[in-house]
Amino acid sequence: MFTSNHCCYLLPLLWREKGTYYALHLGGTYFRILRVLLGDQRSYLDVQDVERHPIPSHLMNSTSEVLFNFLAFSLERFIEKEENGSDSQGVRRELAFTFSFPVKHTSISSGVLIKWTKGFEISEMVGQDIAECLQGALNRRGLDMHVAALVNDTVGALSLGYYHDPDTVVAVVFGTGSNACYLERTDAIIKCQGLLTTSGSMVVNMEWGNFWSSHLPRTSYDIDLDAESSNANDMGFEKMISGMYLGDIVRRVILRMSEDSDIFGPISPVLSEPYVLRTNSVSAIHEDDTPELQEVARILKDIGVSDVPLKVRKLVVKICDVVTRRAGRLAAAGIAGILKKIGRDGSGGITSGRSRSEIQMQKRTVVAVEGGLYMNYTMFREYMEEALVEILGEEVSQYVVVKAMEDGSSIGSALLVASLQS
Ligand code: ADP
Ligand code: MG
């Protein structure tokens, strides 16, 4: 069903070494640094410190050196704060680099950038080894830190989900962008046939943001948004379902309506600015429960649309609802597609070679989900979960558990590093 860039990982998470591990996560809007402590007992996992900062926008189209120097500097500050004056000379720190852009892996700790997405545009980095860039910047700052793993964010989320609950076989991120990965039988991966793993399974990073099909109906708003984006003809699915874009779809609908009618008053020049309406504002509009829709009025004023009557404010809420409902339902269709592929949708799956008993017995299936859109936009989450039940049916849905994993991608990546130490 989906296009894939075929990144496959082993998941040896049941073995992990106690100690302190670090993760640096470069998302589309934020970067996060965290430290986790693993104890002797398998269940002991303590997330000790988490920092989350917006990525300064000028870095998104700067140079490789500027970006990685900034990340290394941020890590240095994080460590200085942690040490608080104590001398930890000679302590080498193991770091997971959680990177939420498409990468062609060359090993667990190296991989080259295939392309940028989500508005990043540092062209010299395409084809470069991302982990090496970070390691180089850490070395230049004299930080004794080792980039032990380069991990896609979905794989990090799956790792944490799997660590807590081995029925976790799918992980999906709905943040600035969107992506999914799932656990697949090695012999069902054509590219990996003959490759043996101890568990018999591998994680497939789908890069589903780039899924496309002629059956996926696109509106003129989707077409225009894509054409005017920095990655035209790319990431079509992501552009319909993720946080970076939902606000801009809504903005385009309001702009068209204000051009075609006078319900919004004079055309606001601000409304013509791409991405001026953020998805955070879409959820604030959608969830405005004041009787006069004052929050809607305030947000519209910020984009140059003032003094519109309540009836028009209600229309704006409706636009947000339609755009978000579509996104939630498409997201659910994506998850259902994965469950179908691995035989967890009650049908037995697309992949041949499953035994009859495997097909007939519906297993408990956990889908780990993370990302700011899912975590913070209640209506998106509800539409997605409602549609998933609708597609799977009540009976199969009882076996499918959708679990939110806050910071799952970073914590899970640190766990992967721990599993590499033993
Ligand atoms: P990243 O994509 O950088 O890893 P997140 O997973 O936290 O970061 O996702 C951030 C994105 O989530 C924001 O850019 C925004 O699109 C979306 N988001 C965050 N909060 C909200 C909210 N309250 N309502 C709607 N969307 C939100
Ligand atoms: Mg993210």
Side-chain angles (χ1 to χ4, degrees):
M1 178 175 175
F2 294 98
T3 54
S4 152
N5 82 341
H6 320 293
C7 296
C8 305
Y9 293 77
L10 296 170
L11 200 67
L13 277 172
L14 295 177
W15 298 272
R16 90 288 187 287
E17 195 67 13
K18 66 176 183 173
T20 302
Y21 300 94
Y22 297 79
L24 165 70
H25 174 191
L26 187 68
T29 306
Y30 298 100
F31 72 96
R32 297 167 185 73
I33 304 174
L34 59 79
R35 186 177 73 241
V36 302
L37 180 68
L38 292 177
D40 266 332
Q41 283 165 345
R42 195 186 124 65
S43 58
Y44 187 84
L45 166 68
D46 184 20
V47 182
Q48 296 195 311
D49 199 1
V50 186
E51 272 188 11
R52 188 179 89 140
H53 304 283
I55 301 164
S57 56
H58 71 271
L59 293 182
M60 296 181 185
N61 44 24
S62 58
T63 63
S64 162
E65 201 182 331
V66 170
L67 175 66
F68 284 98
N69 281 349
F70 173 82
L71 294 175
F73 170 71
S74 304
L75 275 165
E76 187 176 47
R77 263 194 334 207
F78 182 87
I79 285 164
E80 276 168 7
K81 194 179 79 180
E82 153 193 284
E83 282 174 355
N84 204 9
S86 69
D87 182 17
S88 58
Q89 283 273 317
V91 180
R92 189 171 90 150
R93 296 172 175 88
E94 297 296 323
L95 175 72
F97 188 15
T98 318
F99 189 70
S100 46
F101 300 89
V103 159
K104 182 170 172 47
H105 267 264
T106 42
S107 75
I108 186 81
S109 59
S110 60
V112 297
L113 177 67
I114 296 172
K115 63 185 176 187
W116 284 115
T117 55
K118 300 178 279 195
F120 272 72
E121 278 182 282
I122 310 173
S123 56
E124 68 189 28
M125 272 181 64
V126 174
Q128 297 276 320
D129 187 325
I130 299 305
E132 205 174 280
C133 290
L134 179 61
Q135 188 67 65
L138 294 171
N139 296 349
R140 284 197 293 278
R141 289 206 84 81
L143 265 182
D144 197 2
M145 210 166 206
H146 170 233
V147 183
L150 177 64
V151 187
N152 181 265
D153 54 345
T154 58
V155 179
L158 184 69
S159 305
L160 183 65
Y162 188 84
Y163 181 77
H164 286 310
D165 186 338
D167 285 337
T168 311
V169 289
V170 179
V172 193
V173 172
F174 300 108
T176 309
S178 184
N179 189 15
C181 73
Y182 71 100
L183 204 55
E184 179 62 281
R185 288 182 3 238
T186 316
D187 62 355
I189 305 170
I190 295 165
K191 287 187 109 177
C192 295
Q193 262 162 18
L195 189 75
L196 290 174
T197 66
T198 44
S199 65
S201 41
M202 290 184 108
V203 179
V204 176
N205 166 12
M206 299 172 75
E207 291 298 342
W208 87 359
N210 202 22
F211 166 64
W212 195 246
S213 159
S214 56
H215 298 293
L216 196 58
R218 255 196 337 169
T219 65
S220 60
Y221 308 108
D222 300 311
I223 293 166
D224 293 348
L225 181 150
D226 176 54
E228 292 165 31
S229 66
S230 60
N231 55 344
N233 296 315
D234 207 18
M235 308 303 278
F237 193 49
E238 175 164 280
K239 286 171 182 166
M240 296 169 107
I241 63 169
S242 76
M244 175 161 173
Y245 303 101
L246 298 188
D248 208 53
I249 300 173
V250 171
R251 176 191 70 84
R252 285 168 188 277
V253 178
I254 299 175
L255 178 62
R256 174 87 57 86
M257 283 181 166
S258 90
E259 285 165 350
D260 291 353
S261 73
D262 57 6
I263 57 169
F264 289 99
I267 300 174
S268 152
V270 183
L271 204 48
S272 302
E273 281 174 34
Y275 304 102
V276 71
L277 185 68
R278 301 257 165 204
T279 304
N280 302 43
S281 300
V282 171
S283 68
I285 291 174
H286 204 173
E287 290 164 4
D288 184 357
D289 55 6
T290 61
E292 294 294 310
L293 298 178
Q294 282 130 352
E295 185 62 9
V296 179
R298 190 190 61 74
I299 293 167
L300 286 175
K301 195 164 172 226
D302 281 349
I303 53 172
V305 179
S306 300
D307 300 325
V308 289
L310 183 61
K311 182 174 85 188
V312 176
R313 299 205 287 277
K314 283 186 179 163
L315 176 66
V316 171
V317 176
K318 184 71 193 162
I319 297 168
C320 295
D321 183 67
V322 168
V323 170
T324 299
R325 186 161 184 263
R326 181 185 72 156
R329 294 180 73 79
L330 285 173
I335 295 173
I338 301 175
L339 298 180
K340 184 168 184 170
K341 172 73 175 71
I342 58 176
R344 304 287 185 107
D345 70 328
S347 73
I350 298 168
T351 310
S352 61
R354 289 181 207 278
S355 68
R356 273 209 92 63
S357 59
E358 229 183 328
I359 291 170
Q360 279 160 8
M361 200 176 66
Q362 181 65 40
K363 292 183 192 148
R364 180 174 175 272
T365 301
V366 179
V367 180
V369 187
E370 78 136 54
L373 181 72
Y374 180 82
M375 293 290 182
N376 303 310
Y377 194 168
T378 313
M379 290 307 293
F380 171 82
R381 195 165 62 230
E382 285 181 1
Y383 280 139
M384 192 203 90
E385 289 170 3
E386 180 187 86
L388 193 58
V389 174
E390 215 179 286
I391 299 168
L392 297 174
E394 295 281 349
E395 206 184 316
V396 173
S397 299
Q398 291 171 21
Y399 296 92
V400 177
V401 182
V402 177
K403 259 195 202 172
M405 291 276 147
E406 184 134 39
D407 284 325
S409 50
S410 321
I411 302 167
S413 303
L415 277 176
L416 273 176
V417 167
S419 76
L420 295 172
Q421 307 305 309
S422 43

